[in-house]
Amino acid sequence: MRITDAKVIVSCPGRNFVTLKITTEDGIYGLGDATVNGRELAVASYLSDHVAPLLVGRDARRIEDTWQYLYKGAYWRRGPITMAAIGAVDTALWDIKAKSLDAPLYQLLGGASRESVLVYGHASGNDVEDTVAAVADFAKRGYTAIRAQSAIPGIPSTYGVGRGKLYYEPAESGNPPENVWSSELYLNFVPRLFERLRKEFGSEVHLLHDVHHRLTPIEAGRLGRSLEPYHLFWLEDPTPAELQEGFRLIRQHTTTPIAVGEVFNTIFDCQLLIREQLIDYIRNAVVHSGGISHLLKIAHLAELYQVRTACHGATDLSPVCLAAALHFDLAVHNFGIQEYMHHSAETERVFKHGYTFSQGTMYPGDAPGLGVDIDEALAAQYPYQRACLPVNRKLDGTMHSW
Ligand code: GCO
Ligand code: MG
């Protein structure tokens, strides 16, 4: 089954997406998401200039060999752009293989380990009471796991506070907007938020929170400890994970479960954290971590250490990526939870998908392959628009992690 074409589709139906479409000689095609938010054209060029010419003529069924060929063959290993490109090829080849066998992808990954996939939604508000109302709204819609973020009094804008009820979309057109940050104000505020949420919603709902890489390890330890009475499902990205030893310090000080991984690219970023049991959930995205093949290796390593998977699922990952994650989630034994944010109506029109949401869970569908298609004519009506994630400065103007 030779590959005859590998085409990169860049479009902006509400936000930018890079999609790889690989076609084979017998007409079967597969899709892979290659979106790196704010750096989309770098992956598009990597794929069309450097990878597509290598794919034409290859046997589409040789997924592992193609992965190793692109990874080892690049010489320049790892990094978000390379791994997103490889991830897109890998996902598209799994889509093709599953379609050619007339089976939904999860059947090739070992079959369903569960009936459906637990997902968490994103509730946010402009203050504590606004966030309480947003969590109530998610609970009403059937979510049993809800991430809660709130604006912080004294800081004009912060990560994770949505513009509407369903969507949180940080990418802005033009150059990056500047946010302001204070760890002191944040650390004092967040425990009050979760105290209030537990009082309102009782102990059963799963509450999650994303620190978004902003604290030092000892500050993160303090936050985790102060949140222990409210038993969070997890505290996400408490400190930038480049300093992996920092997680030892966090672990010494708190039993609040820790989730990390959305900016990781390979198993090499995960292995120390997993082997030393410094984290509880590993959150790689299918697209940014080399696709299904590589994510399976990470999941199997994590299974040995009782670390569970929790794929990144923000709206800057396309429906192709979400579908791939849902097949993976349904199949791997040590699945924990899946992030889920609604895509915009324009995105949903461009990417037709078979996955469904019901009562706080999702199901990837039983269509052959990933169960996602792209309407190329419609995608062409939404040309790429340059957009950037915000940057973040402390109150005194010093650059900080966003
Ligand atoms: C999450 C993430 C996102 C990222 C976004 C960057 O937990 O979903 O932190 O909100 O900020 O994916 O592109
Ligand atoms: Mg996050």
Side-chain angles (χ1 to χ4, degrees), residues 14-16 35-40 80-81 122 147 157-161 163 168-180 210 212-214 237 262-263 288 312 314-317 339 341 384-393 399-402:
R15 55 149 307 103
N16 291 316
T35 310
V36 177
N37 197 6
R39 297 291 183 269
E40 297 86 0
I81 305 301
H122 281 213
R147 188 185 99 154
S157 57
T158 191
Y159 165 78
V161 181
R163 296 206 197 106
Y168 163 64
E169 181 42 76
E172 305 274 353
S173 57
N175 285 341
E178 301 219 344
N179 288 184
V180 181
D210 190 350
H212 220 258
H213 329 266
R214 286 159 187 225
D237 289 332
E262 69 183 39
V263 300
H288 300 138
H312 187 201
T315 44
D316 47 281
L317 312 173
E339 182 179 21
M341 296 169 75
Y384 168 77
Q385 284 174 31
R386 186 168 170 277
C388 290
L389 287 167
V391 295
N392 205 20
R393 289 184 190 278
M399 279 299 302
H400 195 62
S401 304
W402 176 73

Side-chain angles (χ1 to χ4, degrees), residues 101-177:
L101 297 171
D102 201 25
L105 174 62
Y106 71 82
Q107 292 292 8
L108 278 62
L109 306 180
S113 286
R114 50 197 56 81
E115 303 308 316
S116 64
V117 168
L118 175 68
V119 300
Y120 68 93
H122 281 213
S124 68
N126 289 319
D127 55 33
V128 171
E129 292 313 312
D130 205 22
T131 309
V132 169
V135 171
D137 195 45
F138 272 84
K140 213 161 57 197
R141 282 186 278 129
Y143 285 85
T144 56
I146 304 167
R147 188 185 99 154
Q149 308 288 137
S150 168
I152 300 156
I155 309 184
S157 57
T158 191
Y159 165 78
V161 181
R163 296 206 197 106
K165 276 207 154 90
L166 287 178
Y167 311 112
Y168 163 64
E169 181 42 76
E172 305 274 353
S173 57
N175 285 341

Side-chain angles (χ1 to χ4, degrees), residues 155 181-188 214-216 219 400:
I155 309 184
W181 179 248
S182 161
S183 295
E184 292 72 22
L185 293 174
Y186 173 78
L187 283 166
N188 289 333
R214 286 159 187 225
L215 298 176
T216 65
E219 287 169 345
H400 195 62

